[in-house]
């Protein structure tokens, strides 16, 4: 449980940086950190539960498509996390399109790596 909470914290920081840098991402809720935290919570739950299974099943298709399937899966999971957060808590992060999600995924991966290293996640 401690690992999940630290992972959620790292994803919350990464999502905050992503929303701050990208004009295609918008935090919904007052204060905005609630929306970012809810989005990161559902993203952490998805990453811990179904993402490894889906990526493993899609691996052959991802190889054949030079990674395009992996981008689509990441986009779908970000949209799912956004939808769940907004539907259940009325706060979250809205994503304006596929490419904003791709750029957001890259930013989140970089920031998560840096923050995870700093706090020894």
């Amino acid at each position: 449980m401690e690992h999940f909470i630290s992972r959620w914290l790292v994803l919350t920081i990464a999502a905050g940086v992503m929303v701050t840098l990208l004009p295609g991402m918008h935090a919904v809720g007052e204060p905005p950190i609630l929306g970012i935290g809810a989005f990161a919570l559902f993203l952490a739950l998805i990453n811990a539960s179904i993402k490894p299974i889906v990526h493993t099943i899609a691996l052959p298709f991802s190889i054949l498509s030079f990674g395009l399937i992996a981008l689509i899966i990441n986009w779908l999971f970000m949209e799912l996390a956004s939808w769940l957060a907004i539907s259940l808590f009325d706060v979250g992060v809205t994503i304006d399109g596929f490419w904003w999600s791709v750029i957001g995924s890259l930013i989140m991966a970089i920031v998560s790596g840096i923050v995870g290293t700093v706090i020894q996640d």
Side-chain angles (χ1 to χ4, degrees), residues 34-45:
L34 288 177
I36 293 168
F39 172 75
L41 172 66
F42 284 108
L43 205 54
L45 289 170

Side-chain angles (χ1 to χ4, degrees), residues 11-25:
L11 282 175
T12 301
I13 293 168
V17 170
M18 175 189 69
V19 168
T20 302
L21 293 177
L22 296 179
M25 303 274 190

Side-chain angles (χ1 to χ4, degrees), residues 19 26-29 32 34-40 81-82 85-86 89-94:
V19 168
H26 311 282
V28 176
L34 288 177
I36 293 168
F39 172 75
S82 174
I86 292 172
F89 298 136
D90 292 325
V91 295
V93 173
T94 59

Side-chain angles (χ1 to χ4, degrees), residues 37-78:
F39 172 75
L41 172 66
F42 284 108
L43 205 54
L45 289 170
I46 290 168
N47 286 345
S49 59
I50 61 174
K51 188 174 183 178
I53 297 166
V54 172
H55 272 287
T56 302
I57 292 169
L59 183 62
F61 303 109
S62 187
I63 291 170
L64 290 174
S65 68
F66 300 106
L68 184 61
I69 298 296
L71 289 176
I72 292 170
I73 290 170
N74 285 337
W75 168 65
L76 289 172
F77 285 150
M78 286 184 82

